[in-house]
Amino acid sequence: MTTNGLKFGVAIAATVLAGSVALPAVTASADSKTVTVGIVGTKDAGLWKTVAKTAKKEYGITLKTKVFSDYNQPNKAVADGSLDLNAFQHYYFLDNWNHSNGNSVKAIGKTIITPIRLYSEKHKSPKDFQKGDSIAVPNDATNEARALILLQSAGLITLKDVALPTVKDIATNKLNLQIKEVDAAQTPTALKSEAGAVINTNYAQQAKIKLSSAIYVEPVNKKSAEWINVIAASKKHANKKIYKEVVKAYQTKATKAYLKSEWGQAELPAWDITLK
């Protein structure tokens, strides 16, 4: 959400796009072999076309995508039955949405994890930061927490043991680093004026910042579990065979090949990784 707004830092818009990547959305209720998946934005359209080929060939499923422009609507649509599945969020976002919406949507399969990164135009390593240096981080709750945890893992600060840390939860800051909270979309701009910036992958790519230029990458370990993206269904239909087959159609070598070809190390397959 990724991940990327709470998921991966994408700014939340107010409306839903009335359209789809391929054909108009038709849910499984109209055709038992047709499944529609809600996605946010069109970045993953090519990926889902690859999955659709597998779904058709292996399971006889016609897989379609419906595009939303914000993170507010896809879970609501799945919960009320107007949409079969969605694939736009990580576990953390889904858990928080469920907490406020009657626990009505359930993750049925893992997709990807998108590590966030620390960039600097002034330093080549986290060890190079000096006393009083400033680091920009996204200011929305989820991404700020991820950014601070990243800075902790890089050895720059330590945090109190809380689920979703903010700058107020910094326990030690030996270099007296100035943590500047900015809109996630503005972190690439902040990179030019600050000593460093934690930037979500989607915004780094939009700003044409090479991911390989990052001086530190979010570790993928046990603490990363909540940032894994998922395919989700309504809780009452989570065990549908056809939905499980869509998950299988996603979790393939073909999907891995597409992710590697299109995104390199930006989006990592998460369904068969071991988190240590």
Side-chain angles (χ1 to χ4, degrees):
M1 143 183 39
T2 266
T3 45
N4 125 223
L6 291 180
K7 182 195 177 233
F8 320 130
V10 178
I12 294 179
T15 58
V16 181
L17 291 178
S20 60
V21 171
L23 299 175
V26 179
T27 64
S29 60
D31 180 349
S32 61
K33 297 299 287 184
T34 297
V35 175
T36 301
V37 181
I39 61 176
V40 175
T42 58
K43 183 179 73 69
D44 290 334
L47 168 62
W48 280 97
K49 286 181 180 179
T50 298
V51 177
K53 290 179 181 178
T54 302
K56 190 67 173 180
K57 179 179 179 182
E58 299 296 330
Y59 305 104
I61 298 170
T62 298
L63 189 61
K64 300 181 179 181
T65 50
K66 180 175 181 179
V67 181
F68 294 83
S69 64
D70 72 274
Y71 296 120
N72 291 317
Q73 302 303 319
N75 279 333
K76 292 179 181 178
V78 164
D80 68 22
S82 61
L83 181 68
D84 296 312
L85 304 172
N86 65 48
F88 75 100
Q89 64 196 323
H90 47 50
Y91 279 113
Y92 185 88
F93 184 95
L94 176 58
D95 288 346
N96 277 270
W97 189 90
N98 270 328
H99 182 72
S100 301
N101 292 275
N103 196 33
S104 54
V105 176
K106 182 178 180 180
I108 63 170
K110 299 175 182 178
T111 57
I112 61 169
I113 186 168
T114 307
I116 58 175
R117 291 165 167 80
L118 172 63
Y119 299 85
S120 176
E121 294 184 350
K122 298 177 176 63
H123 302 311
K124 295 183 178 180
S125 166
K127 295 180 180 179
D128 296 335
F129 281 90
Q130 305 295 312
K131 286 187 177 181
D133 274 349
S134 57
I135 300 177
V137 300
N139 64 3
D140 61 277
T142 302
N143 284 303
E144 180 175 358
R146 287 186 78 178
L148 293 174
I149 292 169
L150 177 143
L151 295 179
Q152 176 175 253
S153 66
L156 293 171
I157 61 173
T158 65
L159 298 165
K160 298 174 185 177
D161 187 15
V162 296
L164 202 64
T166 69
V167 292
K168 295 180 180 179
D169 298 307
I170 295 176
T172 62
N173 183 358
K174 294 181 179 180
L175 293 177
N176 193 29
L177 297 170
Q178 304 303 303
I179 309 301
K180 295 191 175 182
E181 301 161 290
V182 302
D183 186 276
Q186 298 303 313
T187 50
T189 301
L191 177 62
K192 300 182 182 302
S193 58
E194 314 301 339
V198 180
I199 306 176
N200 292 85
T201 297
N202 58 312
Y203 288 120
Q205 291 173 324
Q206 288 177 22
K208 300 189 183 306
I209 298 172
K210 291 183 179 180
L211 300 182
S212 59
S213 70
I215 63 171
Y216 191 77
V217 181
E218 181 182 40
V220 178
N221 53 33
K222 286 184 178 180
K223 294 182 180 179
S224 306
E226 61 187 348
W227 311 125
I228 290 176
N229 290 3
V230 297
I231 296 171
S234 67
K235 193 171 183 179
K236 60 184 178 182
H237 296 311
N239 291 320
K240 273 192 173 184
K241 179 182 177 182
I242 193 170
Y243 292 170
K244 292 181 178 180
E245 289 173 339
V246 171
V247 172
K248 291 178 181 178
Y250 186 103
Q251 297 175 347
T252 63
K253 291 181 179 179
T255 299
K256 285 186 176 182
Y258 180 92
L259 291 171
K260 184 176 182 179
S261 173
E262 291 294 317
W263 307 114
Q265 294 299 305
E267 296 187 356
L268 307 176
W271 58 88
D272 60 359
I273 60 173
T274 300
L275 300 178
K276 297 181 180 180

